[in-house]
Amino acid sequence: DGGITQSPKYLFRKEGQNVTLSCEQNLNHDAMYWYRQDPGQGLRLIYYSQIVNDFQKGDIAEGYSVSREKKESFPLTVTSAQKNPTAFYLCASSRTSGRFETQYFGPGTRLLVL
Amino acid sequence: EDKVVQSPLSLVVHEGDTVTLNCSYEVTNFRSLLWYKQEKKAPTFLFMLTSSGIEKKSGRLSSILDKKELFSILNITATQTGDSAIYLCVLNTGTASKLTFGTGTRLQVTL
């Protein structure tokens, strides 16, 4: 089945620890995105990648890092510099980053700080 | 700054009711407006609207855009408990990366 998978479903982070969230898609999409969802707020863009080996910061990139070494994979690392990491993280992809492309979302990872 | 405001924030209806969800926006460079349904996890795509006055329909759901008055509505007729979800209104103001999300309307359909 084609789709986007994220793992793990839940992730616990200790203070000062870096953690990595996985996002994989087999839709052959060029563009991939990471969002953060907090209660009472709309989704906010962390990073996005329009093509392999390229990525750009979104609106709230501080404390996060990404890589895009393969078309199907776009892992997000939440570093210790991110002071308030508790949130629901959603990965998305689109065929291209063009104007009328639709983004398709993965099931999300909930990150909690211990 | 681009902005999306959804109303109501939450809504409880009985199965079989018809509901209208509202989305108003402010934008400098409109490309399209999208509706997503978010149940427990991943938002799923419902509609993309680019032109005023043209209704998009999918089963019991329909949506329309008014670019002059800067709003969109999402209608759900004969609601079912499976319609319970958060409905997100999203503005595309450029490439696919330039999305502005509303906070959503939480719909609960009871028996």
Side-chain angles (χ1 to χ4, degrees):
Chain A
D1 284 0
I4 303 173
T5 57
Q6 289 185 242
S7 62
K9 193 185 291 189
Y10 296 96
L11 186 56
F12 299 92
R13 192 190 95 162
K14 294 181 184 175
E15 294 285 344
Q17 190 180 38
N18 292 357
V19 292
T20 297
L21 284 61
S22 167
C23 177
E24 305 273 330
Q25 54 96 2
N26 61 3
L27 300 167
N28 201 32
H29 285 175
D30 282 332
M32 296 186 75
Y33 314 83
W34 274 106
Y35 293 93
R36 171 181 170 138
Q37 188 174 33
D38 294 280
Q41 295 195 46
L43 274 69
R44 293 180 289 167
L45 182 67
I46 304 173
Y47 267 98
Y48 65 100
S49 168
Q50 295 177 301
I51 201 159
V52 176
N53 293 320
D54 180 64
F55 51 83
Q56 283 84 41
K57 292 182 179 180
D59 300 319
I60 54 164
E62 187 174 346
Y64 299 98
S65 66
V66 293
S67 62
R68 187 87 188 276
E69 296 174 6
K70 298 188 295 183
K71 187 175 186 178
E72 55 272 18
S73 178
F74 190 40
L76 172 75
T77 296
V78 184
T79 74
S80 56
Q82 172 47 244
K83 297 305 174 194
N84 185 22
T86 297
F88 188 55
Y89 291 85
L90 284 163
C91 177
S93 71
S94 60
R95 195 174 57 90
T96 72
S97 59
R99 284 163 33 169
F100 298 110
E101 292 291 342
T102 301
Q103 290 188 21
Y104 297 90
F105 287 83
T109 292
R110 189 165 297 280
L111 176 61
L112 297 163
V113 176
L114 295 176
Chain B
E1 187 182 324
D2 299 329
K3 195 171 160 185
V4 176
V5 178
Q6 291 187 247
S7 63
L9 290 180
S10 67
L11 189 55
V12 181
V13 300
H14 293 297
E15 205 172 38
D17 288 351
T18 293
V19 297
T20 298
L21 309 183
N22 303 294
C23 175
S24 63
Y25 61 89
E26 296 171 19
V27 66
T28 50
N29 188 24
F30 180 90
R31 298 295 187 194
S32 63
L33 186 144
L34 305 100
W35 284 95
Y36 281 84
K37 177 183 181 182
Q38 185 175 21
E39 293 179 80
K40 291 184 181 168
K41 293 174 183 175
T44 52
F45 172 75
L46 294 175
F47 299 112
M48 177 187 288
L49 304 158
T50 55
S51 303
S52 274
I54 298 175
E55 187 183 49
K56 293 267 181 114
K57 232 175 138 49
S58 175
R60 296 176 294 102
L61 277 67
S62 63
S63 184
I64 198 159
L65 174 68
D66 185 327
K67 287 165 78 173
K68 185 179 171 192
E69 300 297 331
L70 306 183
F71 76 88
S72 174
I73 59 172
L74 175 69
N75 270 327
I76 309 175
T77 58
T79 52
Q80 302 171 357
T81 54
D83 295 326
S84 297
I86 296 173
Y87 290 85
L88 299 172
C89 177
V90 186
L91 206 54
N92 182 333
T93 60
T95 64
S97 61
K98 300 295 181 191
L99 298 184
T100 301
F101 286 78
T103 54
T105 292
R106 182 181 292 275
L107 173 66
Q108 186 179 349
V109 181
T110 61
L111 290 170

PDB file of all heavy atoms in Angstrom, chain B residues 39-76:
ATOM      1  N   GLU B  39      -8.994  12.979  12.229  1.00  0.00           N
ATOM      2  CA  GLU B  39      -9.659  12.160  13.253  1.00  0.00           C
ATOM      3  C   GLU B  39      -8.690  12.012  14.410  1.00  0.00           C
ATOM      4  O   GLU B  39      -8.458  12.955  15.132  1.00  0.00           O
ATOM      5  CB  GLU B  39     -10.136  10.853  12.633  1.00  0.00           C
ATOM      6  CG  GLU B  39     -11.244  11.132  11.617  1.00  0.00           C
ATOM      7  CD  GLU B  39     -11.788   9.927  10.922  1.00  0.00           C
ATOM      8  OE1 GLU B  39     -12.619   9.233  11.519  1.00  0.00           O
ATOM      9  OE2 GLU B  39     -11.394   9.702   9.767  1.00  0.00           O
ATOM     10  N   LYS B  40      -8.101  10.861  14.581  1.00  0.00           N
ATOM     11  CA  LYS B  40      -7.212  10.794  15.737  1.00  0.00           C
ATOM     12  C   LYS B  40      -5.802  11.236  15.405  1.00  0.00           C
ATOM     13  O   LYS B  40      -5.071  11.694  16.255  1.00  0.00           O
ATOM     14  CB  LYS B  40      -7.214   9.391  16.300  1.00  0.00           C
ATOM     15  CG  LYS B  40      -8.553   9.078  16.943  1.00  0.00           C
ATOM     16  CD  LYS B  40      -8.567   7.735  17.609  1.00  0.00           C
ATOM     17  CE  LYS B  40      -9.960   7.511  18.199  1.00  0.00           C
ATOM     18  NZ  LYS B  40     -10.132   6.132  18.614  1.00  0.00           N
ATOM     19  N   LYS B  41      -5.427  11.092  14.191  1.00  0.00           N
ATOM     20  CA  LYS B  41      -4.017  11.340  13.886  1.00  0.00           C
ATOM     21  C   LYS B  41      -3.838  12.161  12.614  1.00  0.00           C
ATOM     22  O   LYS B  41      -3.855  13.365  12.629  1.00  0.00           O
ATOM     23  CB  LYS B  41      -3.288  10.008  13.784  1.00  0.00           C
ATOM     24  CG  LYS B  41      -3.234   9.316  15.127  1.00  0.00           C
ATOM     25  CD  LYS B  41      -2.660   7.939  15.036  1.00  0.00           C
ATOM     26  CE  LYS B  41      -2.718   7.287  16.402  1.00  0.00           C
ATOM     27  NZ  LYS B  41      -2.274   5.897  16.357  1.00  0.00           N
ATOM     28  N   ALA B  42      -3.655  11.464  11.492  1.00  0.00           N
ATOM     29  CA  ALA B  42      -3.255  12.167  10.273  1.00  0.00           C
ATOM     30  C   ALA B  42      -4.410  12.940   9.650  1.00  0.00           C
ATOM     31  O   ALA B  42      -5.488  12.398   9.453  1.00  0.00           O
ATOM     32  CB  ALA B  42      -2.723  11.163   9.253  1.00  0.00           C
ATOM     33  N   PRO B  43      -4.224  14.221   9.345  1.00  0.00           N
ATOM     34  CA  PRO B  43      -5.239  14.923   8.551  1.00  0.00           C
ATOM     35  C   PRO B  43      -5.382  14.262   7.187  1.00  0.00           C
ATOM     36  O   PRO B  43      -4.383  13.919   6.552  1.00  0.00           O
ATOM     37  CB  PRO B  43      -4.657  16.338   8.414  1.00  0.00           C
ATOM     38  CG  PRO B  43      -3.675  16.475   9.516  1.00  0.00           C
ATOM     39  CD  PRO B  43      -3.113  15.106   9.716  1.00  0.00           C
ATOM     40  N   THR B  44      -6.609  14.082   6.758  1.00  0.00           N
ATOM     41  CA  THR B  44      -6.850  13.541   5.423  1.00  0.00           C
ATOM     42  C   THR B  44      -7.502  14.606   4.564  1.00  0.00           C
ATOM     43  O   THR B  44      -8.370  15.347   5.022  1.00  0.00           O
ATOM     44  CB  THR B  44      -7.731  12.282   5.460  1.00  0.00           C
ATOM     45  OG1 THR B  44      -8.914  12.596   6.214  1.00  0.00           O
ATOM     46  CG2 THR B  44      -7.030  11.135   6.115  1.00  0.00           C
ATOM     47  N   PHE B  45      -7.085  14.656   3.334  1.00  0.00           N
ATOM     48  CA  PHE B  45      -7.506  15.693   2.406  1.00  0.00           C
ATOM     49  C   PHE B  45      -8.969  15.532   2.028  1.00  0.00           C
ATOM     50  O   PHE B  45      -9.433  14.421   1.735  1.00  0.00           O
ATOM     51  CB  PHE B  45      -6.613  15.619   1.165  1.00  0.00           C
ATOM     52  CG  PHE B  45      -7.038  16.509   0.037  1.00  0.00           C
ATOM     53  CD1 PHE B  45      -6.811  17.869   0.107  1.00  0.00           C
ATOM     54  CD2 PHE B  45      -7.650  15.982  -1.087  1.00  0.00           C
ATOM     55  CE1 PHE B  45      -7.189  18.694  -0.936  1.00  0.00           C
ATOM     56  CE2 PHE B  45      -8.031  16.800  -2.126  1.00  0.00           C
ATOM     57  CZ  PHE B  45      -7.806  18.160  -2.058  1.00  0.00           C
ATOM     58  N   LEU B  46      -9.709  16.639   2.034  1.00  0.00           N
ATOM     59  CA  LEU B  46     -11.110  16.618   1.599  1.00  0.00           C
ATOM     60  C   LEU B  46     -11.283  17.355   0.272  1.00  0.00           C
ATOM     61  O   LEU B  46     -11.714  16.795  -0.713  1.00  0.00           O
ATOM     62  CB  LEU B  46     -12.003  17.259   2.662  1.00  0.00           C
ATOM     63  CG  LEU B  46     -12.114  16.549   4.004  1.00  0.00           C
ATOM     64  CD1 LEU B  46     -12.927  17.376   4.980  1.00  0.00           C
ATOM     65  CD2 LEU B  46     -12.715  15.155   3.836  1.00  0.00           C
ATOM     66  N   PHE B  47     -10.977  18.647   0.282  1.00  0.00           N
ATOM     67  CA  PHE B  47     -11.233  19.476  -0.899  1.00  0.00           C
ATOM     68  C   PHE B  47     -10.123  20.494  -1.107  1.00  0.00           C
ATOM     69  O   PHE B  47      -9.511  20.958  -0.148  1.00  0.00           O
ATOM     70  CB  PHE B  47     -12.527  20.298  -0.742  1.00  0.00           C
ATOM     71  CG  PHE B  47     -13.774  19.486  -0.572  1.00  0.00           C
ATOM     72  CD1 PHE B  47     -14.461  19.490   0.628  1.00  0.00           C
ATOM     73  CD2 PHE B  47     -14.273  18.735  -1.626  1.00  0.00           C
ATOM     74  CE1 PHE B  47     -15.612  18.752   0.789  1.00  0.00           C
ATOM     75  CE2 PHE B  47     -15.429  17.993  -1.474  1.00  0.00           C
ATOM     76  CZ  PHE B  47     -16.114  17.999  -0.263  1.00  0.00           C
ATOM     77  N   MET B  48      -9.927  20.865  -2.366  1.00  0.00           N
ATOM     78  CA  MET B  48      -9.128  22.034  -2.712  1.00  0.00           C
ATOM     79  C   MET B  48     -10.009  22.979  -3.508  1.00  0.00           C
ATOM     80  O   MET B  48     -10.655  22.554  -4.487  1.00  0.00           O
ATOM     81  CB  MET B  48      -7.897  21.661  -3.558  1.00  0.00           C
ATOM     82  CG  MET B  48      -7.100  22.883  -3.977  1.00  0.00           C
ATOM     83  SD  MET B  48      -5.768  22.514  -5.124  1.00  0.00           S
ATOM     84  CE  MET B  48      -4.621  21.679  -4.051  1.00  0.00           C
ATOM     85  N   LEU B  49     -10.074  24.235  -3.099  1.00  0.00           N
ATOM     86  CA  LEU B  49     -10.918  25.230  -3.750  1.00  0.00           C
ATOM     87  C   LEU B  49     -10.025  26.333  -4.290  1.00  0.00           C
ATOM     88  O   LEU B  49      -9.184  26.871  -3.569  1.00  0.00           O
ATOM     89  CB  LEU B  49     -11.918  25.817  -2.747  1.00  0.00           C
ATOM     90  CG  LEU B  49     -12.802  24.792  -2.043  1.00  0.00           C
ATOM     91  CD1 LEU B  49     -13.339  25.346  -0.748  1.00  0.00           C
ATOM     92  CD2 LEU B  49     -13.946  24.400  -2.968  1.00  0.00           C
ATOM     93  N   THR B  50     -10.228  26.670  -5.552  1.00  0.00           N
ATOM     94  CA  THR B  50      -9.439  27.735  -6.140  1.00  0.00           C
ATOM     95  C   THR B  50     -10.313  28.838  -6.725  1.00  0.00           C
ATOM     96  O   THR B  50      -9.877  29.975  -6.834  1.00  0.00           O
ATOM     97  CB  THR B  50      -8.521  27.191  -7.250  1.00  0.00           C
ATOM     98  OG1 THR B  50      -9.332  26.496  -8.201  1.00  0.00           O
ATOM     99  CG2 THR B  50      -7.492  26.233  -6.688  1.00  0.00           C
ATOM    100  N   SER B  51     -11.531  28.520  -7.098  1.00  0.00           N
ATOM    101  CA  SER B  51     -12.397  29.502  -7.766  1.00  0.00           C
ATOM    102  C   SER B  51     -13.629  29.772  -6.930  1.00  0.00           C
ATOM    103  O   SER B  51     -14.182  28.872  -6.300  1.00  0.00           O
ATOM    104  CB  SER B  51     -12.835  28.970  -9.130  1.00  0.00           C
ATOM    105  OG  SER B  51     -11.713  28.659  -9.913  1.00  0.00           O
ATOM    106  N   SER B  52     -14.084  31.007  -6.967  1.00  0.00           N
ATOM    107  CA  SER B  52     -15.287  31.385  -6.229  1.00  0.00           C
ATOM    108  C   SER B  52     -16.521  30.749  -6.820  1.00  0.00           C
ATOM    109  O   SER B  52     -16.660  30.641  -8.050  1.00  0.00           O
ATOM    110  CB  SER B  52     -15.481  32.905  -6.289  1.00  0.00           C
ATOM    111  OG  SER B  52     -14.775  33.543  -5.279  1.00  0.00           O
ATOM    112  N   GLY B  53     -17.463  30.391  -5.949  1.00  0.00           N
ATOM    113  CA  GLY B  53     -18.794  30.023  -6.383  1.00  0.00           C
ATOM    114  C   GLY B  53     -18.952  28.625  -6.945  1.00  0.00           C
ATOM    115  O   GLY B  53     -20.063  28.218  -7.281  1.00  0.00           O
ATOM    116  N   ILE B  54     -17.871  27.878  -7.043  1.00  0.00           N
ATOM    117  CA  ILE B  54     -17.986  26.524  -7.605  1.00  0.00           C
ATOM    118  C   ILE B  54     -17.971  25.536  -6.445  1.00  0.00           C
ATOM    119  O   ILE B  54     -16.992  25.433  -5.712  1.00  0.00           O
ATOM    120  CB  ILE B  54     -16.823  26.230  -8.565  1.00  0.00           C
ATOM    121  CG1 ILE B  54     -16.889  27.203  -9.727  1.00  0.00           C
ATOM    122  CG2 ILE B  54     -16.878  24.785  -9.048  1.00  0.00           C
ATOM    123  CD1 ILE B  54     -15.732  27.097 -10.680  1.00  0.00           C
ATOM    124  N   GLU B  55     -19.087  24.828  -6.281  1.00  0.00           N
ATOM    125  CA  GLU B  55     -19.206  23.908  -5.164  1.00  0.00           C
ATOM    126  C   GLU B  55     -18.451  22.616  -5.468  1.00  0.00           C
ATOM    127  O   GLU B  55     -18.587  22.034  -6.541  1.00  0.00           O
ATOM    128  CB  GLU B  55     -20.667  23.596  -4.881  1.00  0.00           C
ATOM    129  CG  GLU B  55     -20.868  22.768  -3.621  1.00  0.00           C
ATOM    130  CD  GLU B  55     -22.331  22.412  -3.391  1.00  0.00           C
ATOM    131  OE1 GLU B  55     -22.981  21.934  -4.337  1.00  0.00           O
ATOM    132  OE2 GLU B  55     -22.803  22.603  -2.264  1.00  0.00           O
ATOM    133  N   LYS B  56     -17.681  22.188  -4.480  1.00  0.00           N
ATOM    134  CA  LYS B  56     -17.053  20.872  -4.580  1.00  0.00           C
ATOM    135  C   LYS B  56     -17.857  19.932  -3.679  1.00  0.00           C
ATOM    136  O   LYS B  56     -18.234  20.307  -2.564  1.00  0.00           O
ATOM    137  CB  LYS B  56     -15.602  20.921  -4.095  1.00  0.00           C
ATOM    138  CG  LYS B  56     -14.693  21.742  -4.968  1.00  0.00           C
ATOM    139  CD  LYS B  56     -14.029  20.894  -6.000  1.00  0.00           C
ATOM    140  CE  LYS B  56     -13.097  21.706  -6.872  1.00  0.00           C
ATOM    141  NZ  LYS B  56     -11.696  21.343  -6.722  1.00  0.00           N
ATOM    142  N   LYS B  57     -18.110  18.711  -4.196  1.00  0.00           N
ATOM    143  CA  LYS B  57     -18.964  17.788  -3.463  1.00  0.00           C
ATOM    144  C   LYS B  57     -18.319  16.413  -3.398  1.00  0.00           C
ATOM    145  O   LYS B  57     -17.711  15.950  -4.366  1.00  0.00           O
ATOM    146  CB  LYS B  57     -20.304  17.671  -4.208  1.00  0.00           C
ATOM    147  CG  LYS B  57     -21.523  17.901  -3.362  1.00  0.00           C
ATOM    148  CD  LYS B  57     -22.752  17.887  -4.203  1.00  0.00           C
ATOM    149  CE  LYS B  57     -23.881  17.131  -3.519  1.00  0.00           C
ATOM    150  NZ  LYS B  57     -24.160  17.489  -2.139  1.00  0.00           N
ATOM    151  N   SER B  58     -18.475  15.779  -2.223  1.00  0.00           N
ATOM    152  CA  SER B  58     -18.026  14.406  -2.081  1.00  0.00           C
ATOM    153  C   SER B  58     -18.966  13.729  -1.111  1.00  0.00           C
ATOM    154  O   SER B  58     -18.864  13.907   0.107  1.00  0.00           O
ATOM    155  CB  SER B  58     -16.585  14.362  -1.568  1.00  0.00           C
ATOM    156  OG  SER B  58     -16.193  13.026  -1.330  1.00  0.00           O
ATOM    157  N   GLY B  59     -19.923  12.988  -1.642  1.00  0.00           N
ATOM    158  CA  GLY B  59     -20.910  12.343  -0.783  1.00  0.00           C
ATOM    159  C   GLY B  59     -21.732  13.359  -0.029  1.00  0.00           C
ATOM    160  O   GLY B  59     -22.331  14.255  -0.613  1.00  0.00           O
ATOM    161  N   ARG B  60     -21.703  13.269   1.298  1.00  0.00           N
ATOM    162  CA  ARG B  60     -22.494  14.179   2.127  1.00  0.00           C
ATOM    163  C   ARG B  60     -21.768  15.473   2.434  1.00  0.00           C
ATOM    164  O   ARG B  60     -22.301  16.358   3.095  1.00  0.00           O
ATOM    165  CB  ARG B  60     -22.853  13.457   3.436  1.00  0.00           C
ATOM    166  CG  ARG B  60     -23.740  12.232   3.264  1.00  0.00           C
ATOM    167  CD  ARG B  60     -23.994  11.497   4.581  1.00  0.00           C
ATOM    168  NE  ARG B  60     -22.742  10.908   5.097  1.00  0.00           N
ATOM    169  CZ  ARG B  60     -22.021  11.428   6.065  1.00  0.00           C
ATOM    170  NH1 ARG B  60     -22.374  12.567   6.663  1.00  0.00           N
ATOM    171  NH2 ARG B  60     -20.907  10.822   6.485  1.00  0.00           N
ATOM    172  N   LEU B  61     -20.524  15.584   1.975  1.00  0.00           N
ATOM    173  CA  LEU B  61     -19.740  16.786   2.239  1.00  0.00           C
ATOM    174  C   LEU B  61     -19.703  17.668   1.004  1.00  0.00           C
ATOM    175  O   LEU B  61     -19.628  17.167  -0.123  1.00  0.00           O
ATOM    176  CB  LEU B  61     -18.298  16.411   2.605  1.00  0.00           C
ATOM    177  CG  LEU B  61     -18.007  16.025   4.044  1.00  0.00           C
ATOM    178  CD1 LEU B  61     -18.682  14.718   4.442  1.00  0.00           C
ATOM    179  CD2 LEU B  61     -16.513  15.929   4.281  1.00  0.00           C
ATOM    180  N   SER B  62     -19.757  18.963   1.238  1.00  0.00           N
ATOM    181  CA  SER B  62     -19.612  19.905   0.142  1.00  0.00           C
ATOM    182  C   SER B  62     -18.946  21.160   0.670  1.00  0.00           C
ATOM    183  O   SER B  62     -18.989  21.458   1.872  1.00  0.00           O
ATOM    184  CB  SER B  62     -20.965  20.241  -0.492  1.00  0.00           C
ATOM    185  OG  SER B  62     -21.799  20.873   0.457  1.00  0.00           O
ATOM    186  N   SER B  63     -18.334  21.890  -0.238  1.00  0.00           N
ATOM    187  CA  SER B  63     -17.629  23.098   0.178  1.00  0.00           C
ATOM    188  C   SER B  63     -17.660  24.116  -0.939  1.00  0.00           C
ATOM    189  O   SER B  63     -17.717  23.761  -2.130  1.00  0.00           O
ATOM    190  CB  SER B  63     -16.176  22.762   0.522  1.00  0.00           C
ATOM    191  OG  SER B  63     -15.513  23.908   1.011  1.00  0.00           O
ATOM    192  N   ILE B  64     -17.626  25.380  -0.543  1.00  0.00           N
ATOM    193  CA  ILE B  64     -17.657  26.447  -1.524  1.00  0.00           C
ATOM    194  C   ILE B  64     -16.777  27.585  -1.030  1.00  0.00           C
ATOM    195  O   ILE B  64     -16.559  27.742   0.169  1.00  0.00           O
ATOM    196  CB  ILE B  64     -19.111  26.900  -1.793  1.00  0.00           C
ATOM    197  CG1 ILE B  64     -19.220  27.674  -3.097  1.00  0.00           C
ATOM    198  CG2 ILE B  64     -19.658  27.688  -0.619  1.00  0.00           C
ATOM    199  CD1 ILE B  64     -20.624  27.698  -3.649  1.00  0.00           C
ATOM    200  N   LEU B  65     -16.284  28.358  -1.961  1.00  0.00           N
ATOM    201  CA  LEU B  65     -15.354  29.444  -1.653  1.00  0.00           C
ATOM    202  C   LEU B  65     -15.916  30.768  -2.169  1.00  0.00           C
ATOM    203  O   LEU B  65     -16.504  30.815  -3.253  1.00  0.00           O
ATOM    204  CB  LEU B  65     -14.015  29.155  -2.347  1.00  0.00           C
ATOM    205  CG  LEU B  65     -12.914  30.205  -2.293  1.00  0.00           C
ATOM    206  CD1 LEU B  65     -12.372  30.356  -0.884  1.00  0.00           C
ATOM    207  CD2 LEU B  65     -11.796  29.828  -3.259  1.00  0.00           C
ATOM    208  N   ASP B  66     -15.743  31.818  -1.380  1.00  0.00           N
ATOM    209  CA  ASP B  66     -16.111  33.161  -1.812  1.00  0.00           C
ATOM    210  C   ASP B  66     -14.864  34.037  -1.699  1.00  0.00           C
ATOM    211  O   ASP B  66     -14.496  34.469  -0.618  1.00  0.00           O
ATOM    212  CB  ASP B  66     -17.242  33.708  -0.931  1.00  0.00           C
ATOM    213  CG  ASP B  66     -17.762  35.059  -1.420  1.00  0.00           C
ATOM    214  OD1 ASP B  66     -16.973  35.854  -1.963  1.00  0.00           O
ATOM    215  OD2 ASP B  66     -18.957  35.318  -1.245  1.00  0.00           O
ATOM    216  N   LYS B  67     -14.214  34.273  -2.823  1.00  0.00           N
ATOM    217  CA  LYS B  67     -12.945  35.012  -2.802  1.00  0.00           C
ATOM    218  C   LYS B  67     -13.143  36.509  -2.618  1.00  0.00           C
ATOM    219  O   LYS B  67     -12.231  37.222  -2.254  1.00  0.00           O
ATOM    220  CB  LYS B  67     -12.168  34.734  -4.086  1.00  0.00           C
ATOM    221  CG  LYS B  67     -11.569  33.337  -4.098  1.00  0.00           C
ATOM    222  CD  LYS B  67     -11.117  32.923  -5.465  1.00  0.00           C
ATOM    223  CE  LYS B  67      -9.800  33.539  -5.853  1.00  0.00           C
ATOM    224  NZ  LYS B  67      -9.311  32.981  -7.127  1.00  0.00           N
ATOM    225  N   LYS B  68     -14.358  36.972  -2.858  1.00  0.00           N
ATOM    226  CA  LYS B  68     -14.619  38.399  -2.662  1.00  0.00           C
ATOM    227  C   LYS B  68     -14.781  38.691  -1.172  1.00  0.00           C
ATOM    228  O   LYS B  68     -14.211  39.651  -0.651  1.00  0.00           O
ATOM    229  CB  LYS B  68     -15.895  38.783  -3.416  1.00  0.00           C
ATOM    230  CG  LYS B  68     -16.198  40.274  -3.387  1.00  0.00           C
ATOM    231  CD  LYS B  68     -17.446  40.598  -4.166  1.00  0.00           C
ATOM    232  CE  LYS B  68     -17.831  42.054  -3.932  1.00  0.00           C
ATOM    233  NZ  LYS B  68     -19.188  42.352  -4.434  1.00  0.00           N
ATOM    234  N   GLU B  69     -15.545  37.838  -0.490  1.00  0.00           N
ATOM    235  CA  GLU B  69     -15.777  38.026   0.941  1.00  0.00           C
ATOM    236  C   GLU B  69     -14.748  37.285   1.789  1.00  0.00           C
ATOM    237  O   GLU B  69     -14.794  37.361   3.004  1.00  0.00           O
ATOM    238  CB  GLU B  69     -17.188  37.553   1.315  1.00  0.00           C
ATOM    239  CG  GLU B  69     -18.301  38.294   0.591  1.00  0.00           C
ATOM    240  CD  GLU B  69     -18.334  39.784   0.940  1.00  0.00           C
ATOM    241  OE1 GLU B  69     -17.924  40.143   2.061  1.00  0.00           O
ATOM    242  OE2 GLU B  69     -18.745  40.580   0.082  1.00  0.00           O
ATOM    243  N   LEU B  70     -13.866  36.570   1.167  1.00  0.00           N
ATOM    244  CA  LEU B  70     -12.750  35.884   1.836  1.00  0.00           C
ATOM    245  C   LEU B  70     -13.226  34.860   2.861  1.00  0.00           C
ATOM    246  O   LEU B  70     -12.849  34.891   4.046  1.00  0.00           O
ATOM    247  CB  LEU B  70     -11.804  36.900   2.507  1.00  0.00           C
ATOM    248  CG  LEU B  70     -11.261  38.003   1.611  1.00  0.00           C
ATOM    249  CD1 LEU B  70     -10.300  38.876   2.404  1.00  0.00           C
ATOM    250  CD2 LEU B  70     -10.577  37.455   0.384  1.00  0.00           C
ATOM    251  N   PHE B  71     -14.080  33.945   2.414  1.00  0.00           N
ATOM    252  CA  PHE B  71     -14.456  32.864   3.318  1.00  0.00           C
ATOM    253  C   PHE B  71     -14.808  31.612   2.524  1.00  0.00           C
ATOM    254  O   PHE B  71     -15.050  31.654   1.315  1.00  0.00           O
ATOM    255  CB  PHE B  71     -15.612  33.275   4.235  1.00  0.00           C
ATOM    256  CG  PHE B  71     -16.961  33.283   3.576  1.00  0.00           C
ATOM    257  CD1 PHE B  71     -17.748  32.138   3.537  1.00  0.00           C
ATOM    258  CD2 PHE B  71     -17.450  34.446   3.005  1.00  0.00           C
ATOM    259  CE1 PHE B  71     -18.978  32.154   2.925  1.00  0.00           C
ATOM    260  CE2 PHE B  71     -18.686  34.466   2.394  1.00  0.00           C
ATOM    261  CZ  PHE B  71     -19.464  33.320   2.351  1.00  0.00           C
ATOM    262  N   SER B  72     -14.843  30.530   3.275  1.00  0.00           N
ATOM    263  CA  SER B  72     -15.268  29.250   2.723  1.00  0.00           C
ATOM    264  C   SER B  72     -16.144  28.557   3.760  1.00  0.00           C
ATOM    265  O   SER B  72     -16.003  28.812   4.968  1.00  0.00           O
ATOM    266  CB  SER B  72     -14.065  28.372   2.411  1.00  0.00           C
ATOM    267  OG  SER B  72     -14.464  27.082   2.016  1.00  0.00           O
ATOM    268  N   ILE B  73     -17.060  27.724   3.299  1.00  0.00           N
ATOM    269  CA  ILE B  73     -17.839  26.911   4.222  1.00  0.00           C
ATOM    270  C   ILE B  73     -17.719  25.443   3.826  1.00  0.00           C
ATOM    271  O   ILE B  73     -17.518  25.109   2.645  1.00  0.00           O
ATOM    272  CB  ILE B  73     -19.324  27.316   4.280  1.00  0.00           C
ATOM    273  CG1 ILE B  73     -19.974  27.213   2.904  1.00  0.00           C
ATOM    274  CG2 ILE B  73     -19.486  28.707   4.856  1.00  0.00           C
ATOM    275  CD1 ILE B  73     -21.474  27.408   2.939  1.00  0.00           C
ATOM    276  N   LEU B  74     -17.800  24.615   4.833  1.00  0.00           N
ATOM    277  CA  LEU B  74     -17.840  23.167   4.637  1.00  0.00           C
ATOM    278  C   LEU B  74     -19.167  22.682   5.216  1.00  0.00           C
ATOM    279  O   LEU B  74     -19.453  22.932   6.385  1.00  0.00           O
ATOM    280  CB  LEU B  74     -16.678  22.490   5.356  1.00  0.00           C
ATOM    281  CG  LEU B  74     -16.651  20.970   5.332  1.00  0.00           C
ATOM    282  CD1 LEU B  74     -16.357  20.457   3.928  1.00  0.00           C
ATOM    283  CD2 LEU B  74     -15.597  20.430   6.298  1.00  0.00           C
ATOM    284  N   ASN B  75     -19.970  22.065   4.375  1.00  0.00           N
ATOM    285  CA  ASN B  75     -21.267  21.546   4.795  1.00  0.00           C
ATOM    286  C   ASN B  75     -21.210  20.037   4.919  1.00  0.00           C
ATOM    287  O   ASN B  75     -20.635  19.352   4.059  1.00  0.00           O
ATOM    288  CB  ASN B  75     -22.331  21.863   3.749  1.00  0.00           C
ATOM    289  CG  ASN B  75     -22.995  23.185   4.023  1.00  0.00           C
ATOM    290  OD1 ASN B  75     -23.166  23.585   5.159  1.00  0.00           O
ATOM    291  ND2 ASN B  75     -23.367  23.872   2.958  1.00  0.00           N
ATOM    292  N   ILE B  76     -21.823  19.529   5.963  1.00  0.00           N
ATOM    293  CA  ILE B  76     -21.973  18.085   6.103  1.00  0.00           C
ATOM    294  C   ILE B  76     -23.457  17.826   6.356  1.00  0.00           C
ATOM    295  O   ILE B  76     -24.025  18.308   7.342  1.00  0.00           O
ATOM    296  CB  ILE B  76     -21.149  17.512   7.261  1.00  0.00           C
ATOM    297  CG1 ILE B  76     -19.693  17.971   7.165  1.00  0.00           C
ATOM    298  CG2 ILE B  76     -21.224  15.977   7.248  1.00  0.00           C
ATOM    299  CD1 ILE B  76     -18.838  17.543   8.341  1.00  0.00           C
TER     300      ILE B  76
END
